[in-house]
Amino acid sequence: MKKIKNSDFDKVFEESIIYNFKAEIENTTNEKFNTSLNHEKKMRELFKEKEEKKDKNFFYYFKKAVAALFIIVALGGLITISNDDVKARVEAFIKYRDDEVEIGFEGYNNLDFEDFNIDRMPKDLEIINLKTEDHISIIDLENENGEVFNFKATPKEYVYTPAVDLSDYDISIQNYKGIDNYTALNTENENKFVMWISENFVFELKGFTDIKHIYEIMRSIENTDPRFTKMIPKEYRISNEERTLQDRSISMVLINDQKEKINFNATYEGVATSISLENGDKIIDDRHIENVDVLVLEYLDPEKDNLIMWQNGKYNYSLVSKVTIEEMLDLTEKLIISQNKLEDN
Amino acid sequence: MLNAYLMLINSKREKIKFEEFYNKHSNFFLNYAQKFLKDRTKAEEAVHEAFLNMLENKEKYIDKPEKELRRLVTVLVRWRTLDLIRREDKISKSPIDEVEIYLEDNKKPVEEKVELQSELEIMSRYLKELDEITKQILIMKYVEDMSYREIGEIMGLTEGNARVKAYRGKEKIRNKMVKDGVLDEKN
């Protein structure tokens, strides 16, 4: 029997895919296709459904998008994007509803109230109310114009949601080149606004607020971020001498008793957390299960079923552990159940 | 239906181009989809989805030479037929990577070793081992030279997932061929 050389495999494989596809097409005729009786009606219905969905989204955001666009254009001349002083980045999620926008930081499970203290609040704001109820810390701050910023911290769920009371502001969102732009525009004075751009899990906060100060706030959060030391798989520890913190990037080497090493690198610039392993026989896979992204790092060798799994739910992620596939499935199931419970609540 | 599609296009030049393309090739696409789906109405739906898909990204596609555009829309129709089967299949609620669809009787044992004339024929026989989702990714990659990101966007997969599926599909075939002794082992 004819044998294929291993060195030719890639080329023959690719050519065969193309060859088979061409063969598939060649067998298809261009004869008149008699459409079904309800064809026109059904296709129009499908078409209408799609258009209605689009229209709904379009009109909902159109009015606000126009205002946002105006601000972006005006701001363009004032702000130099490349200047660090006008940039502030932090991992966050943003929700908005009616007159309120919430900016949430997830993953700060070890932060307590002291970690979210007045030093991190924008200046020119005075505390007018401060209380803690059921693990929820509430701080109301007011500026000289009487505008109230309401920060909530909920360590119980590991989610901090500083909710800014923006009842005098018109919140808008638009997508520009794949990037979501959020703008809170003061309805009385168009020169007053807060704007931030969300790209993946990162946002830039810009506006009349003292950006330099906000930048410092975010930096201080970054530097005390405990997440990366919470993501270490069991049986592994950080090799201290190889841990570095530089600018927005943390690099460390994890090592187990068998002296196996994992090079870990995490960066705040986007979600592109890269993980590399010393041995080249592993591959990073990512899967979307229900509404939870699960990153899976596994051995390619099917004989071994060890793997390391990261959970990346919303903007929070944690390294679960080194587990077998059976354990992983079990964990995934639990993950989905707990996620569903969280959403039900 | 053509008129509805034309409403999605603003430029007169593009309208004319699309109309010509539609009139010339829509029967081909419908026959192609029908071949897999064995259902007239579903074939119409698959082609409809493919056209909408194309028009949603018309700036990317409309100026391609006719032959290239026909091939590209064929690839989109192919995906839409798979997607329809997947959606209507009893296991449609499973994640996409758990769904394996065999459009035809592709599971004939490879062990039926026939003396084949060319490397392409040998390989083609093994390609039948691939599930249709993986095959679709490979077609988009090799026939259309799409990036894994583009493939993922069209098929509703992540870039990484598309890449991994393609890689695994290829390795599966390689291993099987080595095992059957039709491919030299790696040095």
Side-chain angles (χ1 to χ4, degrees):
Chain A
M1 187 171 182
K2 193 176 172 69
K3 232 176 176 187
I4 299 174
K5 286 183 193 165
N6 203 297
S7 55
D8 292 340
F9 177 82
D10 286 352
K11 191 174 155 231
V12 179
F13 184 80
E14 183 173 338
E15 280 175 2
S16 297
I17 293 285
I18 298 167
Y19 169 82
N20 276 274
F21 178 69
K22 282 184 177 166
E24 204 174 271
I25 297 175
E26 277 166 15
N27 292 331
T28 309
T29 66
N30 202 19
E31 282 169 17
K32 169 80 179 154
F33 186 90
N34 295 317
T35 51
S36 55
L37 291 173
N38 292 327
H39 168 68
E40 187 77 10
K41 195 180 163 196
K42 191 176 176 195
M43 293 308 114
R44 281 193 183 278
E45 274 167 13
L46 281 173
F47 188 74
K48 203 176 158 191
E49 272 172 33
K50 274 185 179 277
E51 285 303 291
E52 277 175 359
K53 205 173 165 188
K54 265 190 201 168
D55 284 351
K56 201 176 163 188
N57 288 334
F58 178 77
F59 287 117
Y60 184 72
Y61 292 122
F62 179 74
K63 192 180 159 191
K64 290 176 176 184
V66 170
L69 194 61
F70 173 79
I71 294 304
I72 290 164
V73 172
L75 196 66
L78 301 173
I79 295 177
T80 306
I81 302 295
S82 60
N83 183 345
D84 278 349
D85 287 349
V86 295
K87 287 172 83 174
R89 283 171 175 254
V90 67
E91 286 191 356
F93 73 85
I94 300 164
K95 292 176 187 171
Y96 82 101
R97 56 172 187 263
D98 297 331
D99 294 320
E100 186 176 87
V101 61
E102 287 185 0
I103 307 168
F105 308 102
E106 285 198 341
Y108 296 83
N109 51 341
N110 270 5
L111 283 184
D112 54 24
F113 182 70
E114 286 72 31
D115 289 304
F116 210 86
N117 59 36
I118 188 63
D119 291 337
R120 288 185 179 157
M121 300 298 167
K123 66 180 185 182
D124 300 325
L125 292 171
E126 277 182 24
I127 297 177
I128 56 168
N129 186 25
L130 193 158
K131 59 182 175 183
T132 302
E133 284 176 357
D134 286 326
H135 303 286
I136 300 173
S137 302
I138 298 169
I139 316 164
D140 289 337
L141 303 122
E142 190 177 83
N143 67 13
E144 57 185 13
N145 301 316
E147 292 161 331
V148 177
F149 290 76
N150 170 235
F151 283 78
K152 290 177 193 167
T154 55
K156 191 182 172 189
E157 292 176 11
Y158 308 153
V159 177
Y160 285 81
T161 56
V164 186
D165 177 359
L166 292 167
S167 51
D168 291 326
Y169 287 80
D170 191 5
I171 312 293
S172 56
I173 177 176
Q174 69 157 3
N175 189 286
Y176 179 70
K177 290 190 176 176
I179 298 172
D180 283 332
N181 297 273
Y182 298 81
T183 303
L185 178 69
N186 190 296
T187 49
E188 300 296 320
N189 181 352
E190 287 189 355
N191 292 321
K192 294 178 64 178
F193 57 87
V194 182
M195 186 179 83
W196 58 101
I197 297 170
S198 171
E199 185 175 11
N200 292 326
F201 307 145
V202 175
F203 76 85
E204 296 179 23
L205 188 58
K206 301 171 180 175
F208 74 98
T209 315
D210 188 337
I211 294 298
K212 194 171 179 179
H213 187 68
I214 292 169
Y215 182 68
E216 285 165 8
I217 293 167
M218 301 313 173
R219 280 298 295 247
S220 65
I221 291 173
E222 285 176 11
N223 291 336
T224 55
D225 188 344
R227 283 172 296 177
F228 297 117
T229 55
K230 295 289 170 193
M231 288 164 38
I232 300 166
K234 67 184 178 187
E235 299 169 5
Y236 278 88
R237 62 187 181 277
I238 300 174
S239 171
N240 286 327
E241 68 275 14
E242 293 176 83
R243 183 182 180 188
T244 58
L245 171 63
Q246 191 174 16
D247 197 17
R248 292 169 184 275
S249 179
I250 293 174
S251 301
M252 54 190 166
V253 176
L254 308 176
I255 189 163
N256 66 8
D257 289 341
Q258 288 76 46
K259 306 289 178 197
E260 288 171 339
K261 287 180 178 178
I262 297 177
N263 298 313
F264 187 92
N265 181 48
T267 175
Y268 284 89
E269 301 288 346
V271 288
T273 301
S274 62
I275 302 144
S276 61
L277 289 178
E278 199 164 70
N279 299 321
D281 61 345
K282 303 171 187 71
I283 191 163
I284 295 169
D285 192 358
D286 55 327
R287 300 171 188 182
H288 192 80
I289 300 173
E290 297 280 316
N291 50 4
V292 179
D293 284 329
V294 178
L295 298 181
V296 180
L297 186 65
E298 63 180 317
Y299 288 80
L300 282 178
D301 186 347
E303 299 300 314
K304 300 173 187 174
D305 62 357
N306 281 335
L307 51 84
I308 301 166
M309 186 175 78
W310 278 257
Q311 174 203 341
N312 186 3
K314 305 242 167 129
Y315 308 140
N316 179 31
Y317 71 106
S318 57
L319 190 56
V320 179
S321 74
K322 187 174 180 181
V323 290
T324 63
I325 284 176
E326 285 71 28
E327 284 171 318
M328 186 202 80
L329 292 171
D330 190 39
L331 275 166
T332 308
E333 205 170 301
K334 284 177 188 162
L335 206 78
I336 293 166
I337 292 165
S338 62
Q339 173 91 359
N340 290 342
K341 274 185 186 166
L342 199 69
E343 284 171 5
D344 290 345
N345 290 334
Chain B
M1 205 56 233
L2 175 63
N3 287 338
Y5 293 139
L6 291 175
M7 281 168 67
L8 296 173
I9 305 170
N10 296 324
S11 138
K12 195 178 170 186
R13 181 187 66 82
E14 290 177 350
K15 273 180 202 274
I16 293 167
K17 191 161 183 190
F18 180 81
E19 189 171 353
E20 277 174 7
F21 181 78
Y22 181 89
N23 288 334
K24 196 167 173 186
H25 301 294
S26 58
N27 281 325
F28 168 82
F29 298 133
L30 288 161
N31 286 321
Y32 180 67
Q34 160 79 353
K35 193 167 77 170
F36 297 131
L37 290 161
K38 317 280 186 218
D39 182 306
R40 199 163 286 277
T41 315
K42 284 179 191 163
E44 288 158 0
E45 194 174 332
V47 173
H48 174 70
E49 292 277 354
F51 271 126
L52 286 184
N53 211 173
M54 177 209 163
L55 289 170
E56 276 165 12
N57 298 289
K58 59 180 179 300
E59 63 285 348
K60 209 155 74 179
Y61 300 145
I62 202 93
D63 285 325
K64 281 187 184 290
E66 185 189 331
K67 207 173 163 185
E68 271 182 43
L69 189 59
R70 180 179 182 264
R71 197 185 59 213
L72 176 74
V73 176
T74 310
V75 171
L76 293 177
V77 170
R78 191 181 195 281
W79 164 238
R80 286 297 164 196
T81 59
L82 289 183
D83 197 35
L84 268 182
I85 294 170
R86 185 179 68 87
R87 274 190 273 158
E88 291 177 6
D89 195 87
K90 61 182 178 190
I91 50 169
S92 63
K93 285 180 182 165
S94 305
I96 195 167
D97 55 346
E98 288 178 16
V99 181
E100 288 196 353
I101 305 156
Y102 291 85
L103 295 176
E104 292 171 25
D105 181 21
N106 285 340
K107 284 192 153 177
K108 287 176 190 164
V110 179
E111 288 69 28
E112 285 176 18
K113 291 189 180 75
V114 177
E115 195 69 35
L116 298 169
Q117 293 307 309
S118 72
E119 292 176 332
L120 280 183
E121 282 175 316
I122 296 172
M123 186 67 83
S124 297
R125 194 156 181 82
Y126 279 87
L127 289 184
K128 291 175 181 174
E129 294 277 302
L130 292 176
D131 66 274
E132 285 298 331
I133 300 288
T134 302
K135 210 184 280 176
Q136 178 71 24
I137 293 170
L138 292 166
I139 287 172
M140 287 172 157
K141 184 72 194 164
Y142 295 140
V143 176
E144 282 306 318
D145 199 25
M146 286 180 181
S147 67
Y148 286 114
R149 188 176 181 170
E150 287 173 305
I151 294 168
E153 277 169 11
I154 292 170
M155 294 183 67
L157 300 168
T158 63
E159 180 183 349
N161 207 340
R163 187 189 299 277
V164 167
K165 276 177 183 299
Y167 178 83
R168 285 187 182 152
K170 199 166 161 182
E171 288 306 295
K172 182 181 172 183
I173 300 300
R174 193 198 298 270
N175 293 335
K176 181 79 179 160
M177 289 176 82
V178 168
K179 197 177 164 192
D180 289 350
V182 286
L183 180 73
D184 285 340
E185 287 195 51
K186 279 183 185 175
N187 296 327

